[in-house]
Amino acid sequence: MNQNLNEMKGLIYTFLVLLGLACVCVVTCPDKNAHSEALKDLFNTVMTEEMNKSVETDEDAGWEMLGSMIVTGIGGLMIDNILKVENYFVCSVGTMTFEGETKIVSLGLMNHVFTITEDEAKEIVWAYIKDY
């Protein structure tokens, strides 16, 4: 009898911990703005690195800065337009569609957005540029 009671307590505690964790996930699930900001930061980093590769002189640095401002502005608009975020209550998933293929680009969980790697972001940028 005492062993059954201990097993029942263990199950109840496990259930309560899982319920508490689920409640925390629901309350802290990132929205579309959080996904958008995380992806903008990632794409801005990628584009700045790509543009820095071509800078050879001080004169080029000025043009690179201007180009960087234009590209990051356009990149932000692009992300806002093609990012779709689906909320699953405990987490959220950000997707983008390129060349007819939908790819997961971010995952939001517990108030944090996990994004794709910089190499994957470069591939997406070049695929998007090819479309236009």
Side-chain angles (χ1 to χ4, degrees), residues 15-28 90 110:
F15 175 74
L16 289 175
V17 167
L18 291 175
L19 182 64
L21 183 62
C23 288
V24 168
C25 287
V26 168
V27 171
T28 61
V90 294
M110 296 184 109

Side-chain angles (χ1 to χ4, degrees), residues 74-117:
I74 292 171
L77 293 173
M78 176 192 79
I79 290 169
D80 288 338
N81 286 330
I82 62 176
L83 176 66
K84 293 188 181 16
V85 176
E86 297 176 21
N87 188 346
Y88 296 105
F89 297 110
V90 294
C91 70
S92 52
V93 177
T95 59
M96 291 182 174
T97 302
F98 298 99
E99 299 174 342
E101 184 179 346
T102 301
K103 296 181 181 184
I104 295 175
V105 293
S106 61
L107 172 69
L109 182 66
M110 296 184 109
N111 212 26
H112 184 74
V113 178
F114 301 93
T115 62
I116 56 176
T117 65

Side-chain angles (χ1 to χ4, degrees), residues 27-38:
V27 171
T28 61
C29 185
D31 60 0
K32 182 176 181 177
N33 289 336
H35 283 264
S36 180
E37 289 302 315

